[in-house]
């Protein structure tokens, strides 16, 4: 937790405990780079209130190295770890590399092989994933497509796939992962969240501009706008 925001979380406890008293959700991104022991996930689950929910990002070994092919063992190992979160595991994020096109057979085989009660959200970045066939495949399997900023193609700026879950990821602009957002953009994001909720979707809003320490501040500002 950046020092400049500590006054917003004055309670005692770990960073996660203090965060969990203010926000109801968090996205675990470190799982993309390295595995965490099941015991670690169990400890994180104990640190937050009962209503709190986690999203966890799939490892890059599955999405970027194996590219969704021949990864059953890797996926099984990952699920055994993250299921330490118990009922607080809500969403698994499948972020795909920009070089990975939509291949119906590969996508169908991967998504049909999942063994988890957690919902899936997919953040594709190749233009082929934003065509009607890809949208239909995701919707049919109740997989939400992430709404991203910056958007790799115009249609990536709004949620897609299964409409029951609207999952927004804001990566920072103009410098991805570093830049904070100005008041105009934050107001636009809050309107997007409100519109998705009004349409009946469960809504998640995640700031991924963490490299410069701006995600928490942007989240606090949007939270205040919506309150």
């Amino acid at each position: 937790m950046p020092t400049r925001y500590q006054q917003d979380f004055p309670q005692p406890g770990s960073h996660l405990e203090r965060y969990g008293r203010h926000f109801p959700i968090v996205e675990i991104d470190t799982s993309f780079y390295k595995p965490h022991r099941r015991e670690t996930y169990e400890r994180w689950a104990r640190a937050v209130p009962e209503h709190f929910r986690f999203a966890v990002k799939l490892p890059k070994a599955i999405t970027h190295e194996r590219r969704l092919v021949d990864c059953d063992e890797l996926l099984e190992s990952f699920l055994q770890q993250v299921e330490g979160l118990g009922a607080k595991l809500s969403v698994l994020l499948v972020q795909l590399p920009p070089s990975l096109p939509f291949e119906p057979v590969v996508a169908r085989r991967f998504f049909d092989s999942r063994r988890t009660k957690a919902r899936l959200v997919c953040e594709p970045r190749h233009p082929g994933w934003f065509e009607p066939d890809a949208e239909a495949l995701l919707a049919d399997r109740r997989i939400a497509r992430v709404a991203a900023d910056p958007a790799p193609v115009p249609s990536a700026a709004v949620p897609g796939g299964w409409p029951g879950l609207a999952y927004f990821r804001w990566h920072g602009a103009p410098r991805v992962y570093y830049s904070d957002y100005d008041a105009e953009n934050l107001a636009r994001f809050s309107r997007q969240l409100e519109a998705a909720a009004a349409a009946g979707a469960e809504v998640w809003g995640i700031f991924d501009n963490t490299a410069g320490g701006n995600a928490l501040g942007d989240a606090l500002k949007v939270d205040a706008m919506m309150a």
Side-chain angles (χ1 to χ4, degrees), residues 134-156:
E135 284 286 294
L137 185 147
L138 294 175
D140 182 64
R141 284 155 178 78
R142 296 172 67 87
I143 299 168
R145 178 175 53 71
V146 166
D149 184 273
V153 299
S155 54

Side-chain angles (χ1 to χ4, degrees), residues 173-203:
R175 190 182 180 194
V176 174
Y177 306 130
Y178 284 87
S179 297
D180 62 352
Y181 285 101
D182 60 23
E184 182 179 352
N185 276 303
L186 295 176
R188 175 168 60 89
F189 296 157
S190 67
R191 291 193 298 270
Q192 287 180 317
L193 296 174
E194 290 169 346
E202 178 184 336
V203 180

Side-chain angles (χ1 to χ4, degrees), residues 27-30 32-33 57 93 95 123 125 146-150 167-173 175-181 189 205-216 218-219:
E27 180 187 283
I28 298 174
D29 184 72
T30 52
F32 178 75
Y33 302 99
K57 190 174 180 180
L93 169 65
Q95 186 192 57
E123 185 178 13
R125 289 177 284 180
V146 166
D149 184 273
Y167 198 102
F168 296 83
R169 297 190 87 221
W170 302 300
H171 299 292
R175 190 182 180 194
V176 174
Y177 306 130
Y178 284 87
S179 297
D180 62 352
Y181 285 101
F189 296 157
I206 302 294
F207 282 97
D208 189 38
N209 51 344
T210 56
N214 290 309
L216 185 55
D218 283 350

Side-chain angles (χ1 to χ4, degrees), residues 58 62 71-79 110 113-114:
L58 260 66
I62 294 174
C71 51
D72 289 353
E73 291 185 9
L74 291 173
L75 183 60
E76 181 65 24
S77 176
F78 171 72
L79 291 176
F110 176 79
S113 70
R114 58 178 169 161

Side-chain angles (χ1 to χ4, degrees), residues 7-209:
Q7 70 274 10
D8 296 295
F9 300 87
Q11 304 95 337
S14 68
H15 290 341
L16 179 58
E17 288 174 315
R18 296 162 68 193
Y19 176 96
R21 296 186 187 109
H22 192 102
F23 292 108
I25 60 170
V26 75
E27 180 187 283
I28 298 174
D29 184 72
T30 52
S31 54
F32 178 75
Y33 302 99
K34 64 178 183 179
H36 299 297
R37 296 184 304 162
R38 184 184 179 97
E39 292 79 7
T40 300
Y41 286 107
E42 291 172 346
R43 174 166 50 83
W44 288 340
R46 292 193 298 269
V48 293
E50 285 303 313
H51 69 273
F52 193 92
R53 293 295 181 265
F54 291 85
V56 188
K57 190 174 180 180
L58 260 66
K60 65 178 180 180
I62 294 174
T63 56
H64 288 55
E65 296 170 10
R66 296 287 181 89
R67 298 168 70 85
L68 307 184
V69 176
D70 295 332
C71 51
D72 289 353
E73 291 185 9
L74 291 173
L75 183 60
E76 181 65 24
S77 176
F78 171 72
L79 291 176
Q80 289 178 357
Q81 296 160 11
V82 299
E83 285 172 357
L85 293 170
K88 295 175 183 175
L89 172 62
S90 184
V91 173
L92 296 178
L93 169 65
V94 183
Q95 186 192 57
L96 303 178
S99 61
L100 185 61
F102 174 65
E103 298 179 28
V105 174
V106 172
R108 193 178 302 115
R109 184 176 297 143
F110 176 79
F111 289 125
D112 289 349
S113 70
R114 58 178 169 161
R115 182 203 56 77
T116 176
K117 294 181 180 179
R119 283 88 51 81
L120 295 188
V121 297
C122 183
E123 185 178 13
R125 289 177 284 180
H126 187 281
W129 282 87
F130 300 91
E131 298 298 327
D133 287 350
E135 284 286 294
L137 185 147
L138 294 175
D140 182 64
R141 284 155 178 78
R142 296 172 67 87
I143 299 168
R145 178 175 53 71
V146 166
D149 184 273
V153 299
S155 54
V158 296
W162 181 55
L165 176 62
Y167 198 102
F168 296 83
R169 297 190 87 221
W170 302 300
H171 299 292
R175 190 182 180 194
V176 174
Y177 306 130
Y178 284 87
S179 297
D180 62 352
Y181 285 101
D182 60 23
E184 182 179 352
N185 276 303
L186 295 176
R188 175 168 60 89
F189 296 157
S190 67
R191 291 193 298 270
Q192 287 180 317
L193 296 174
E194 290 169 346
E202 178 184 336
V203 180
W204 286 57
I206 302 294
F207 282 97
D208 189 38
N209 51 344

